[in-house]
Amino acid sequence: MVLCYRSLQQDHLRIGNMPTPAIPNLTGNRTLRLLILCLGIMAASTAKARDYAVEVLVFERTEVSTEVEEQWNPGSNSQLTNLEKLQSLVDRVDDHPIGEGIAHLAGHQSKLLSSGYRVLHAARWQQPSEVYQNAPVVPVGTLDTRIRGAVRVYRTSLIFVDIALGLTDSLLDPDFPLYFINEKRRVKFKEVHYFDHPRFGALVTVWPVEG
């Protein structure tokens, strides 16, 4: 922005020192193009700085085989990685305000319930647009502790969702996850993204906060 201001200022000085007939031509070309460029940079900066409204819906299948793939195996390196990722993200959770109820995913919730799925977690929150290191890590969990995890929404030049969830069976140790969702994905505003697992799933949507 400083560069834009200085360029416009320099153009103004040059225009002021030139003969009057040359002013309209310069004003309609270089100075105008610089002004449009600066306004575009300001608009891009504003888009990055806007707040996000995030909604998360976690659900499980009520009828599923007991021999579900992708279950916890103590000797599995991939599942050990899932557990480490889950614990790492949970350890970083912030005291971020979370609202109850959802709006943009409400229709999906109704369809899931009518199709025999069980909703485990539904939440929404608002957060600032931040890079990875500064973005809030928002906890995901239920009162019966069957599911725990966290979600982080952050930006580079694009928007990403980083999600780590662990689900247990109610008859087993609730602190010992059996099934995992561990994924990072690029998202766009107002899209609904489905994070899938044979045992459970999650829907995530990110909307720009207007105003």
Side-chain angles (χ1 to χ4, degrees), residues 73-117:
N73 181 345
S76 168
N77 289 331
S78 62
Q79 293 298 61
L80 285 171
T81 300
N82 281 331
L83 184 61
E84 291 172 356
K85 168 66 180 295
L86 173 65
Q87 193 60 50
S88 174
L89 207 56
V90 168
D91 288 343
R92 291 186 174 91
V93 295
D94 300 303
D95 186 19
H96 194 81
I98 302 175
E100 295 183 359
I102 51 178
H104 303 301
L105 293 179
H108 295 276
Q109 181 176 7
S110 297
K111 291 178 181 178
L112 287 168
L113 291 173
S114 63
S115 300
Y117 290 86

Side-chain angles (χ1 to χ4, degrees), residues 103-177:
H104 303 301
L105 293 179
H108 295 276
Q109 181 176 7
S110 297
K111 291 178 181 178
L112 287 168
L113 291 173
S114 63
S115 300
Y117 290 86
R118 181 183 295 114
V119 172
L120 300 175
H121 179 87
R124 59 181 172 83
W125 66 86
Q126 186 171 320
Q127 67 172 73
S129 169
E130 292 285 2
V131 296
Y132 181 85
Q133 295 85 347
N134 300 329
V137 180
V138 180
V140 174
T142 54
L143 294 176
D144 60 9
T145 69
R146 290 193 56 226
I147 186 167
R148 63 189 179 98
V151 175
R152 171 161 40 191
V153 178
Y154 63 95
R155 65 167 174 84
T156 56
S157 57
L158 306 169
I159 303 173
F160 287 88
V161 169
D162 195 359
I163 185 171
L165 301 174
L167 175 70
T168 68
D169 284 330
S170 58
L171 299 179
L172 301 176
D173 183 353
D175 294 326
F176 192 71

Side-chain angles (χ1 to χ4, degrees):
M1 287 308 304
V2 173
L3 179 62
C4 288
Y5 172 76
R6 287 177 178 171
S7 298
L8 287 169
Q9 189 179 48
Q10 289 170 0
D11 266 6
H12 175 73
L13 291 175
R14 284 197 292 269
I15 291 170
N17 294 329
M18 287 184 177
T20 302
I23 293 177
N25 184 40
L26 282 174
T27 303
N29 288 289
R30 175 179 168 79
T31 303
L32 185 58
R33 287 197 300 271
L34 281 171
L35 179 60
I36 293 172
L37 175 63
C38 290
L39 290 175
I41 293 173
M42 290 174 64
S45 176
T46 301
K48 286 185 177 181
R50 68 173 56 182
D51 284 357
Y52 302 154
V54 183
E55 292 189 6
V56 175
L57 182 66
V58 184
F59 57 93
E60 69 173 335
R61 295 168 174 83
T62 54
E63 296 181 5
V64 64
S65 170
T66 56
E67 297 180 356
V68 177
E69 295 181 358
E70 300 182 41
Q71 184 174 340
W72 168 259
N73 181 345
S76 168
N77 289 331
S78 62
Q79 293 298 61
L80 285 171
T81 300
N82 281 331
L83 184 61
E84 291 172 356
K85 168 66 180 295
L86 173 65
Q87 193 60 50
S88 174
L89 207 56
V90 168
D91 288 343
R92 291 186 174 91
V93 295
D94 300 303
D95 186 19
H96 194 81
I98 302 175
E100 295 183 359
I102 51 178
H104 303 301
L105 293 179
H108 295 276
Q109 181 176 7
S110 297
K111 291 178 181 178
L112 287 168
L113 291 173
S114 63
S115 300
Y117 290 86
R118 181 183 295 114
V119 172
L120 300 175
H121 179 87
R124 59 181 172 83
W125 66 86
Q126 186 171 320
Q127 67 172 73
S129 169
E130 292 285 2
V131 296
Y132 181 85
Q133 295 85 347
N134 300 329
V137 180
V138 180
V140 174
T142 54
L143 294 176
D144 60 9
T145 69
R146 290 193 56 226
I147 186 167
R148 63 189 179 98
V151 175
R152 171 161 40 191
V153 178
Y154 63 95
R155 65 167 174 84
T156 56
S157 57
L158 306 169
I159 303 173
F160 287 88
V161 169
D162 195 359
I163 185 171
L165 301 174
L167 175 70
T168 68
D169 284 330
S170 58
L171 299 179
L172 301 176
D173 183 353
D175 294 326
F176 192 71
L178 284 175
Y179 314 101
F180 296 90
I181 290 177
N182 179 6
E183 190 173 344
K184 179 177 73 173
R185 188 181 300 177
R186 175 196 170 188
V187 301
K188 295 181 180 180
F189 285 141
K190 303 183 181 181
E191 291 180 339
V192 176
H193 284 262
Y194 176 34
F195 297 85
D196 188 24
H197 183 280
R199 184 66 175 78
F200 73 121
L203 299 178
V204 179
T205 187
V206 181
W207 287 60
V209 175
E210 304 297 340

